Amino acid sequence: MFLLSCKTGQKPSQIKSGDGLFQLFEEPVGRGTFYSDKEGVFAEKGMVASAHVAASKVGTEILKSGGNAADAAVATFFALAVVHPFAGNLGGGGFAVIRDSEGQKLALDFREKAPLKGHKDMYLDESRDVIKGLSRLGHLASGVPGSVAGMVELHEKLGSKSWKQLLTPAIELAENGVKLTSGQAGGMNRYKSTFQKINGAATVYYVKGDSLEFAEGEVFIQKDLAESLRRIRDSGAKGFYEGETANLLVAEMEKGGGIISHEDLETYDAVWRDAIAKKYKDYNIISMPPPSSGGVALVQLLRLVEPYPLKEWGWNSANTTQLMIEAERRVYADRAKWLGDVDFVKVPITELMSYPYLEERWASFKENKASDSREISGGAVPFYESDETTHLSVVDKEGMAVSITTTLNGAFGSKVVVDGAGFFMNNEMDDFSVKAGVPNMFGLIGNKANEIQPGKRMLSSMTPTIVEKDDKLFMVLGTPGGSTIITSVYQTLLNVIEHGMTMQQAVNARKFHHQWLPDKTFIEKDALDLEALQVLLNKGYTIESQTRTLGWMDCILVHPNGMLEGASDPRGENTSVGY
């Protein structure tokens, strides 16, 4: 492995051999290993990695002004609600994993809840068949939003700057406008007809005239959203869950047949939970517990491959890939059977991650042939009776780290704009099992543990994660991507730990995904070389190459000399900013 060093702002190509800043992927790799040759961003004091450069700049300015990582995360979060409406939000929810400067691990659950009028059969017709699209599009698809409550809770517990200071940048972006990127303009143009169908005249600024389209570089102003943000700035959680914004939200629901009520909003709470904190070799994996499936699944995946020489076998070799596919197959089967909201169902969290249980799950693995998902169900525990998301990672100069994944679920959520409030609502109700055995929009199967109940939080794949090495902060990572979130985080983590990649290389590296059902492996173009592909096909694996990309990672790596490497995904318009 080559050890290099650089000064803040340098690119790797400018770096000369030195004091051990970061690793280079030393083994020769074939054409197509990396999605792009994008290079990481380096800084000494602080780093913010998010889906939009304007939001990352907001967070970094908060760090520069003396704010900590929690402050910067809150400010970045609200900025994303303005500049990245595709997934940034006021009307959604998510999870945060935090490691403070003293090493304390925290997990914050601000996942949406089913409305109090929700019930397990609400998306079924008289024949008990699923009504197509009802849980994905329109007012009835929305759960009770948790994003604002989550950010208030994060600030109250860990923030150091004033609340108003953290909201001001987002308000200014909404009021004065932000230049649209190519992706943002294209996204709003692509969903134009759907916005009009769902909202009519209430789409306000998300739709232009019939013959007009948004263009890259156009200044996009959101006056209604600015007013909603002002109410949150002035009154905190009450500025969203009570008063004018709450009235507008409930009126929108009533107008379109939704069931979110004032009582739903007033009784919503964000919850602090015990973070998943488990060892993988010499690393401590800190991630999100249920109702996220991410933390449990990530630890399972890592521990299933832990006994094997992945480094010796090499990145995406036939042996490495087969092992990881078989781990993913078993873990996603467990996800479907066992995972749900721990406030409503008993989830065997410790047992699912235990080595004896995982050894039993692995007993059916055969090196010479692919397993059959029809023969792999969720494992037996003796005592036991979401694609469009966005992620942000922050590290401050004191070593506090915040990893937040938040979502509306589908692109622009349910496509419902709250008239007069200027934000999109989520379609997270689709993340419940609307009927046992019926896949959601990401093809994920669910059962009774994740059925709809009033006030229950739907299961998620979001996997905000922090990694320690020798009890010191090492890595912060996460991504959007629905069902592919878990496997994208898994591969990116192993790319650094086992395959010696830099953080940016690990993000750039092409990925693959298996989720038990459907029984096939999806790969990014050129993720496997011809030799590995042929070996796997000969063993009976079904492999489907696709143009769709896997993951839009935003990650930070702490190098041995303390330098931070921000790595944002070239698959999107993601950007890291440090100082």
Side-chain angles (χ1 to χ4, degrees), residues 128-173:
R128 298 192 58 75
D129 293 324
V130 175
I131 302 171
K132 187 176 180 180
L134 197 58
S135 65
R136 304 178 186 181
L137 192 65
H139 297 69
L140 197 61
S142 296
V144 184
S147 289
V148 175
M151 292 305 99
V152 169
E153 191 69 30
L154 178 60
H155 176 257
E156 288 182 350
K157 189 174 184 70
L158 297 169
S160 63
K161 305 280 281 187
S162 77
W163 179 249
K164 290 186 177 182
Q165 282 179 287
L166 304 185
L167 270 290
T168 296
I171 293 168
E172 291 176 349
L173 286 168

Side-chain angles (χ1 to χ4, degrees), residues 312-334:
E312 178 184 330
W313 285 348
W315 176 84
N316 281 18
S317 67
N319 284 343
T320 297
T321 304
Q322 179 184 10
L323 200 71
M324 293 172 70
I325 290 171
E326 292 299 341
E328 291 169 7
R329 186 195 310 274
R330 288 157 176 79
V331 168
Y332 275 83
D334 277 354

Side-chain angles (χ1 to χ4, degrees), residues 192-244:
K192 179 177 182 177
S193 62
T194 306
F195 293 160
Q196 291 173 316
K197 177 182 177 181
I198 298 298
N199 301 280
T203 49
V204 194
Y205 34 73
Y206 293 107
V207 172
K208 300 187 79 170
D210 290 341
S211 60
L212 299 175
E213 291 195 336
F214 291 104
E216 180 180 1
E218 180 177 342
V219 176
F220 185 52
I221 295 172
Q222 302 169 78
K223 296 287 188 181
D224 289 348
L225 181 56
E227 290 302 316
S228 293
L229 288 166
R230 284 193 180 93
R231 289 189 284 270
I232 296 168
R233 178 198 63 189
D234 295 341
S235 303
K238 289 184 177 180
F240 182 86
Y241 295 95
E242 300 176 23
E244 179 67 14

Side-chain angles (χ1 to χ4, degrees), residues 286-575:
I286 307 160
S287 197
M288 195 69 206
S292 170
S293 60
V296 171
L298 181 60
V299 170
Q300 286 185 298
L301 289 168
L302 290 167
R303 288 185 165 183
L304 282 170
V305 303
E306 189 171 0
Y308 294 87
L310 300 186
K311 183 175 182 180
E312 178 184 330
W313 285 348
W315 176 84
N316 281 18
S317 67
N319 284 343
T320 297
T321 304
Q322 179 184 10
L323 200 71
M324 293 172 70
I325 290 171
E326 292 299 341
E328 291 169 7
R329 186 195 310 274
R330 288 157 176 79
V331 168
Y332 275 83
D334 277 354
R335 181 192 189 278
K337 180 175 181 179
W338 298 114
L339 276 294
D341 184 348
V342 290
D343 295 335
F344 284 77
V345 295
K346 190 173 183 179
V347 180
I349 297 173
T350 301
E351 288 71 21
L352 288 170
M353 296 184 291
S354 70
Y355 285 106
Y357 173 80
L358 293 170
E359 184 177 351
E360 182 179 332
R361 292 293 278 147
W362 202 241
S364 59
F365 169 68
K366 295 180 176 60
E367 292 183 7
N368 63 340
K369 64 179 294 188
S371 299
D372 186 340
S373 286
R374 292 172 297 181
E375 299 173 0
I376 303 273
S377 61
V381 179
F383 72 89
Y384 187 82
E385 306 238 333
S386 92
D387 163 62
E388 297 312 336
T389 308
T390 191
H391 180 84
L392 64 99
S393 295
V394 184
V395 174
D396 66 24
K397 63 183 179 181
E398 302 299 329
M400 178 189 287
V402 179
S403 180
I404 295 179
T405 311
T406 180
T407 186
L408 289 168
N409 202 27
F412 301 103
S414 63
K415 315 300 187 292
V416 172
V417 180
V418 177
D419 193 8
F423 59 85
F424 285 98
M425 289 296 293
N426 66 83
N427 60 348
E428 293 294 356
M429 293 299 286
D430 188 65
D431 270 358
F432 280 117
S433 298
V434 298
K435 182 180 179 180
V438 175
N440 69 4
M441 71 171 70
F442 301 110
L444 288 170
I445 302 294
N447 288 297
K448 187 175 179 61
N450 191 38
E451 71 181 10
I452 301 169
Q453 292 178 255
K456 185 178 182 179
R457 303 176 201 258
M458 58 289 291
L459 186 61
S460 171
S461 294
M462 289 184 277
T463 315
T465 299
I466 296 171
V467 181
E468 292 178 326
K469 183 179 182 182
D470 301 325
D471 295 323
K472 296 179 180 179
L473 179 64
F474 179 64
M475 194 188 314
V476 186
L477 68 167
T479 184
S483 63
T484 70
I485 291 174
I486 297 166
T487 52
S488 294
V489 170
Y490 173 48
Q491 289 169 80
T492 302
L493 194 157
L494 289 178
N495 286 346
V496 174
I497 291 176
E498 298 292 350
H499 301 303
M501 294 186 187
T502 68
M503 192 75 259
Q504 189 67 58
Q505 285 179 325
V507 168
N508 293 353
R510 297 184 186 273
K511 297 176 176 65
F512 60 86
H513 172 74
H514 195 291
Q515 61 180 48
W516 178 49
L517 294 173
D519 192 354
K520 61 175 65 176
T521 302
F522 300 93
I523 66 171
E524 290 186 309
K525 186 177 182 294
D526 295 329
L528 299 175
D529 64 27
L530 291 177
E531 180 181 353
L533 186 60
Q534 192 59 59
V535 169
L536 293 168
L537 291 173
N538 289 344
K539 290 183 177 182
Y541 289 91
T542 300
I543 297 175
E544 183 176 304
S545 181
Q546 54 182 35
T547 55
R548 176 190 172 193
T549 58
L550 298 177
W552 283 7
M553 307 292 302
D554 279 298
C555 309
I556 302 171
L557 183 67
V558 183
H559 290 285
N561 66 353
M563 187 71 81
L564 303 172
E565 180 189 359
S568 291
D569 213 308
R571 295 165 180 83
E573 296 169 334
N574 305 44
T575 305

